[in-house]
Amino acid sequence: MKKLETHYDVVIIGAGIGGLTAAALLSKSGLSVCVLEKEPHVGGYLAGFRRKDFIFDTAIHWLNQYGPDGMLTRLFDVLGNDHPRAITLQRTRRYKGSSYNYLLTNNPNELRDQLIKEFPADKNGIEQFFLKAQKIGNSLNSLNQIFRSEETMSFSEKLQNKLKVLKVILPFIPFISYSGEKGLNKGLKRFFKDEKLHNIFASETELIGCMVPVGWSYANDFQCPPKGGGQVIPQWLRHVVEFYNNVVCTQCSVKEIIVNENTAKGVSFVYKGKLQQLKSKYVIAACDIETLYEKMLPADAVPEKLKKKLQQAELYTSSVTISIALDCSAEELGFGEEMIHVADERQSYSSHHTGDPATTEISILAPSVRDKSMVPEGHGSLTLFMPALMDYSNNWCTMQDDQGSYIRGEAYKTLKKETAEIIIGRVEALVAPGLRSHILFYEVATPVTHYRYTGNKNGTMMGAKPGRKNMQSKIAHYQTPVKNLLLGGHWAELGGGVPIAAKAGTNASLLILKKENKPAFTALCRYIDGKITLQDLLANASFKPYDNSWVQPLTPAQKRAAREAAVLYPVPPVVEEGQDAAGE
């Protein structure tokens, strides 16, 4: 670990996308920053991992707002022109069941016309469904306009923002009440009389969930991770932070927020078994919110009412994720770039959501179709994803110790393997016959795994869900009850994913810049709101220059290919004038 200063302007807990985005923006604005991460690698859910010469992403299905004009791209442009670029998908989603197989592309009218041809009696309803979904997609495309938190706004800006929010949610309003088994069935009947059309959405829990993928496709806003996998995003952000002589320290587990007169003054953390302290003017917590409020702060620092609301918040599920290495390309097994959504329409509504591997919906990605650099030549990779709950089968046959850690014994390992084999069997039977014979190895992550590596309650993948209950409870917030302690990860917002995490990190940094560097705050707000250009922003003296010096590291497969090429085609010695090849 690099030698630390005794005091920083800002200490950030967690080196996921939220924490690193905040760190990079604050660094560019001239503040001193230290990021503390408990894991050996940065990235949080985007850390990825290597097995042999294969690279696997750990959490990305797809990305939004990361196209050429997306807010993520515009935000990263502020930090440097060398940032990783996402890849826009042409084929976005495949719906696969026992009796249907439909492909959604970035031209959803192709699927619309196919369904009309197969179900002519439902022509009007199909057209209306796709029309409404397109309006939702247009609305989602406007999310760039409401990127800033109202906590960063003036009174007049808040009024304008409420109008923007209203404009975004208007297309959703007619459909938000159609949730649950009865609500979904009623909502689908608004459009489709034929039950076979209902079957396509058998595993959805609400009507909006049926429409959003189609809407995103109309907006042409489905991206997959950059070349090299999702992990290159946090690697680049770390480089930016360290370029400004700030620090990102891994294997540092924060134990306590130092609080004096209800104001955050720094943190205590453990590194290699030794307890250390850092003083700071601000602390940004881009980590699990219950861990922060229940374990890192004095017992009376956070009102019990707020703690109770957080305990009762509706969260996204965790997952079982199976990362598979193949001895052949994924294309040879029939996979394309699209995500395949597998659901058995013959099952009951509830069976799709119990976490039972025999019945729960499955999503399949073939990352190597999109990015050959992640696997050795002639090989492929698959990621199988199933929503899962922490309490499945007695917390996955584990026990908890006094610290709340899950003890994983042989029963856990057995259940994990059995679960994986059932999921692989379903994929082999329905999507890729002969799959097992091409598997070199696979790795399995459960909700227990996700909890271990992120600390997120129940291993949740994305935190608190958008919805009436969480909105009314005001679950999402940036300002904590402790002065100068801000939230800067996905718990600061409802929803999840890379755009939400980056949004949270950006807004946390804005709240600090508002006090510590007003010109930078004003310029960044105006840029986010579309009132000034990138060139105008970068010309502002409040932002320190950056040399675009990041060089993306080679993947293990690329390194292997380079070694093999060097053996086959060694570089001949340079023969200087007057010498022969022997140097004489």
Side-chain angles (χ1 to χ4, degrees):
M1 181 174 70
K2 181 179 177 180
K3 184 178 180 180
L4 299 180
E5 303 294 336
T6 57
H7 184 278
Y8 289 89
D9 293 323
V10 187
V11 169
I12 298 175
I13 306 170
I17 293 300
L20 288 173
T21 298
L25 287 169
L26 292 169
S27 296
K28 190 174 185 67
S29 304
L31 275 67
S32 62
V33 180
C34 177
V35 184
L36 301 175
E37 167 58 48
K38 71 182 184 67
E39 292 301 315
H41 307 287
V42 300
Y45 272 120
L46 265 66
F49 66 95
R50 171 187 176 178
R51 291 293 182 270
K52 299 183 179 179
D53 288 332
F54 292 78
I55 287 286
F56 296 99
D57 277 325
T58 42
I60 295 182
H61 282 184
W62 66 76
L63 292 163
N64 301 119
Q65 301 184 49
Y66 204 175
D69 300 318
M71 182 51 76
L72 267 177
T73 301
R74 294 186 66 237
L75 179 63
F76 290 166
D77 284 344
V78 172
L79 298 170
N81 193 43
D82 56 347
H83 64 80
R85 313 282 167 166
I87 303 167
T88 299
L89 296 174
Q90 307 300 310
R91 299 155 63 100
T92 57
R93 182 179 177 123
R94 185 176 296 278
Y95 300 85
K96 189 75 172 73
S98 63
S99 63
Y100 62 87
N101 185 355
Y102 295 108
L103 176 65
L104 177 66
T105 70
N106 61 357
N107 180 10
N109 290 343
E110 294 175 341
L111 177 57
R112 179 200 64 188
D113 294 344
Q114 179 183 356
L115 294 177
I116 289 173
K117 184 176 180 180
E118 294 183 21
F119 304 95
D122 274 311
K123 179 178 183 295
N124 291 337
I126 293 169
E127 289 177 339
Q128 284 299 308
F129 178 85
F130 278 79
L131 179 62
K132 300 297 184 184
Q134 185 174 16
K135 290 182 178 180
I136 286 173
N138 293 337
S139 179
L140 290 169
N141 230 6
S142 302
L143 286 174
N144 286 352
Q145 301 174 18
I146 52 174
F147 194 81
R148 283 172 57 199
S149 163
E150 287 198 355
E151 292 166 89
T152 69
M153 298 178 184
S154 66
F155 178 76
S156 61
E157 287 176 328
K158 289 179 182 178
L159 292 179
Q160 295 172 20
N161 188 66
K162 291 183 187 302
L163 292 175
K164 292 177 182 178
V165 171
L166 180 61
K167 184 178 179 180
V168 169
I169 67 173
L170 274 176
F172 291 83
I173 291 175
F175 311 111
I176 56 177
S177 62
Y178 296 104
S179 62
E181 183 174 8
K182 291 183 179 179
L184 177 63
N185 186 51
K186 184 179 179 181
L188 290 173
K189 283 182 176 179
R190 286 187 55 172
F191 300 102
F192 314 128
K193 296 178 182 178
D194 196 315
E195 289 293 328
K196 292 180 181 178
L197 284 165
H198 292 216
N199 289 341
I200 300 172
F201 309 104
S203 65
E204 296 292 346
T205 59
E206 54 189 7
L207 184 59
I208 289 293
C210 305
M211 306 176 87
V212 165
V214 180
W216 279 126
S217 297
Y218 270 117
N220 197 27
D221 197 21
F222 271 103
Q223 294 92 38
C224 68
K227 291 289 185 180
Q231 63 191 292
V232 301
I233 304 172
Q235 288 172 358
W236 169 72
L237 286 168
R238 178 176 188 169
H239 173 81
V240 173
V241 173
E242 294 177 339
F243 171 83
Y244 295 108
N245 293 317
N246 284 323
V247 290
V248 179
C249 302
T250 57
Q251 296 180 291
C252 295
S253 181
V254 174
K255 298 301 180 183
E256 181 184 6
I257 310 294
I258 301 170
V259 178
N260 184 14
E261 295 182 351
N262 200 43
T263 302
K265 298 293 185 178
V267 301
S268 296
F269 66 98
V270 173
Y271 176 70
K272 291 187 175 180
K274 183 179 178 181
L275 185 65
Q276 303 185 46
Q277 282 193 357
L278 280 180
K279 294 180 180 179
S280 64
K281 190 169 184 180
Y282 298 92
V283 176
I284 295 177
C287 58
D288 179 68
I289 191 170
E290 282 199 19
T291 302
L292 173 71
Y293 283 175
E294 300 282 355
K295 297 181 180 180
M296 295 182 182
L297 288 169
D300 59 351
V302 180
E304 289 299 322
K305 185 177 180 180
L306 176 56
K307 291 181 183 179
K308 187 174 182 180
K309 285 181 179 180
L310 291 168
Q311 292 166 0
Q312 297 173 348
E314 294 180 345
L315 307 182
Y316 285 100
T317 64
S318 187
S319 77
V320 171
T321 304
I322 308 169
S323 303
I324 299 176
L326 301 171
D327 67 2
C328 64
S329 71
E331 293 93 327
E332 290 178 62
L333 296 177
F335 292 98
E337 69 173 7
E338 72 273 11
M339 183 182 76
I340 304 175
H341 186 76
V342 176
D344 189 345
E345 71 277 16
R346 298 168 297 184
Q347 301 289 340
S348 67
Y349 173 86
S350 61
S351 65
H352 294 292
H353 315 291
T354 61
D356 183 343
T359 61
T360 298
E361 60 180 314
I362 302 170
S363 296
I364 309 167
L365 293 174
S368 59
V369 173
R370 309 162 175 176
D371 183 0
K372 301 298 182 188
S373 73
M374 298 179 73
V375 298
E377 185 177 358
H379 293 70
S381 62
L382 297 175
T383 301
L384 314 183
F385 174 96
M386 182 192 78
L389 304 173
M390 180 64 86
D391 60 6
Y392 176 72
S393 194
N394 295 319
N395 291 340
W396 290 83
C397 296
T398 64
M399 297 179 64
Q400 285 184 278
D401 61 19
D402 294 339
Q403 305 300 315
S405 300
Y406 291 90
I407 302 171
R408 297 161 291 125
E410 289 303 316
Y412 169 76
K413 296 177 183 177
T414 299
L415 177 59
K416 184 167 74 167
K417 183 173 179 60
E418 289 174 349
T419 299
E421 287 296 320
I422 292 170
I423 294 172
I424 291 171
R426 288 177 62 192
V427 173
E428 182 176 45
L430 195 59
V431 182
L435 170 61
R436 275 197 176 92
S437 65
H438 293 283
I439 295 177
L440 292 173
F441 62 87
Y442 65 79
E443 298 287 344
V444 186
T446 69
V448 175
T449 314
H450 295 307
Y451 174 78
R452 285 173 54 219
Y453 284 103
T454 68
N456 282 340
K457 181 179 179 179
N458 295 333
T460 176
M461 298 295 286
M462 296 187 293
K465 287 183 176 182
R468 182 180 302 174
K469 179 181 177 181
N470 284 345
M471 288 180 180
Q472 291 177 340
S473 298
K474 298 182 179 179
I475 294 299
H477 56 282
Y478 286 90
Q479 303 277 8
T480 73
V482 176
K483 185 179 178 181
N484 291 351
L485 171 62
L486 303 170
L487 299 184
H490 60 230
W491 294 102
E493 295 277 345
L494 297 181
V498 175
I500 291 294
K503 178 181 180 180
T506 300
N507 281 299
S509 65
L510 283 173
L511 289 169
I512 292 175
L513 292 176
K514 188 175 182 179
K515 297 179 180 180
E516 300 299 322
N517 189 338
K518 194 64 178 289
F521 167 80
T522 301
L524 189 53
C525 287
R526 286 176 59 78
Y527 172 74
I528 290 172
D529 294 343
K531 295 178 179 178
I532 62 172
T533 66
L534 177 65
Q535 290 71 29
D536 292 334
L537 177 78
L538 296 180
N540 191 304
S542 299
F543 297 103
K544 300 171 70 175
Y546 170 65
D547 64 355
N548 295 306
S549 56
W550 183 66
V551 177
Q552 182 168 332
L554 296 176
T555 66
Q558 289 173 323
K559 291 178 181 178
R560 173 179 172 178
R563 289 194 302 268
E564 292 173 349
V567 172
L568 291 173
Y569 308 104
V571 178
V574 176
V575 179
E576 296 183 5
E577 186 178 354
Q579 293 183 330
D580 60 22
E584 297 176 349

